[in-house]
Amino acid sequence: MVPLSLALGAAPAQAASCTTSTGPYQKEVEKFMGLKVDGRQSPSDCKAIQTFQRWHGITPTIGYAGTVTWRTMSTILAQRAAGTTPNKAGACPTNKGRIACVDLTRQLSWIQDGAKLTYGPVPVRTGRDGAETRTGAKRIYYRSANHWSTLYKVWMPHSQFFDGGQAFHSVTKSMYNPPGSAGCVNMRPADAKAYWNLLRNGDDVHVYGRKPGT
């Protein structure tokens, strides 16, 4: 089934024309979506893939099982596999007390206190190729509940800055909308608000991994 519960934004727009071309990740996409896995594009395959693409802002929205579509699905699978133990590999420090962890590879974030998970994991949308979210040990140094970006001319609700102009903040688009942010860690509104309520200036942030496609 199409994981529409993970989607954000308005309802899908009117469908574009469907492609009849079989994509390089046809079988993988068919399996992900619960379709007949035969490796051949069909009208029903195309419509299902189109729905997924529209929800997540993947263009062109023609139902083609290409690299970006499969990369998005692979990320969702990795997030599902994380379950309630996102730090199983121990990549995020457990000796700093309260800390916000950001795994660029899986596009996941969570808050832990020592080794105890206190919020998440939740999907995030990090920096695109050429504007990557910087890795390393950070700390929240400035918070603004209703921040206005003078650079991008957009509102950034529940902003918590941890590295120069890079911050946790809310957006209303899908967390899987390519190619990504300008470096910030985009979050769903409810998750950004929860981070705002749980974190404070001086709290640690640890960013690691590498976003697929960068």
Side-chain angles (χ1 to χ4, degrees):
M1 294 179 64
V2 181
L4 298 184
S5 61
L6 290 172
L8 294 178
Q14 184 64 34
S17 297
C18 252
T19 181
T20 58
S21 299
T22 295
Y25 296 97
Q26 193 72 36
K27 285 186 177 181
E28 293 89 342
V29 168
E30 289 169 345
K31 182 178 180 181
F32 176 89
M33 305 195 77
L35 303 169
K36 179 181 178 182
V37 182
D38 58 11
R40 296 191 301 271
Q41 179 79 316
S42 68
S44 59
D45 287 348
C46 185
K47 289 179 181 178
I49 297 168
Q50 272 190 320
T51 298
F52 180 88
Q53 292 171 335
R54 290 199 302 275
W55 273 108
H56 297 303
I58 298 170
T59 56
T61 311
I62 58 174
Y64 184 70
T67 301
V68 175
T69 297
W70 174 239
R71 183 186 296 145
T72 302
M73 293 177 176
S74 295
T75 298
I76 292 173
L77 290 173
Q79 291 173 348
R80 289 175 179 170
T84 58
T85 56
N87 200 35
K88 188 175 182 179
C92 192
T94 58
N95 61 348
K96 293 182 176 293
R98 185 170 58 213
I99 185 171
C101 309
V102 181
D103 179 350
L104 300 178
T105 304
R106 295 180 294 176
Q107 293 290 280
L108 275 182
S109 184
W110 63 93
I111 298 173
Q112 61 188 39
D113 192 343
K116 181 182 178 181
L117 181 68
T118 57
Y119 189 83
V122 296
V124 293
R125 178 177 181 262
T126 66
R128 60 180 176 267
D129 191 29
E132 292 86 355
T133 305
R134 292 180 287 272
T135 58
K138 323 285 183 179
R139 281 189 177 178
I140 294 173
Y141 70 90
Y142 176 68
R143 289 161 31 101
S144 177
N146 295 293
H147 188 75
W148 172 255
S149 171
T150 56
L151 180 61
Y152 297 105
K153 311 300 181 187
V154 295
W155 288 105
M156 296 165 51
H158 294 114
S159 285
Q160 300 190 81
F161 291 85
F162 55 81
D163 185 357
Q166 297 189 349
F168 296 111
H169 71 85
S170 167
V171 296
T172 55
K173 60 182 61 179
S174 169
M175 292 298 97
Y176 308 103
N177 175 244
S181 75
C184 285
V185 177
N186 293 167
M187 309 188 79
R188 298 176 297 192
D191 295 329
K193 185 176 182 180
Y195 268 46
W196 176 267
N197 291 331
L198 289 167
L199 300 174
R200 297 291 182 268
N201 281 335
D203 280 350
D204 289 289
V205 177
H206 186 70
V207 183
Y208 68 96
R210 182 172 181 176
K211 180 178 180 176
T214 65

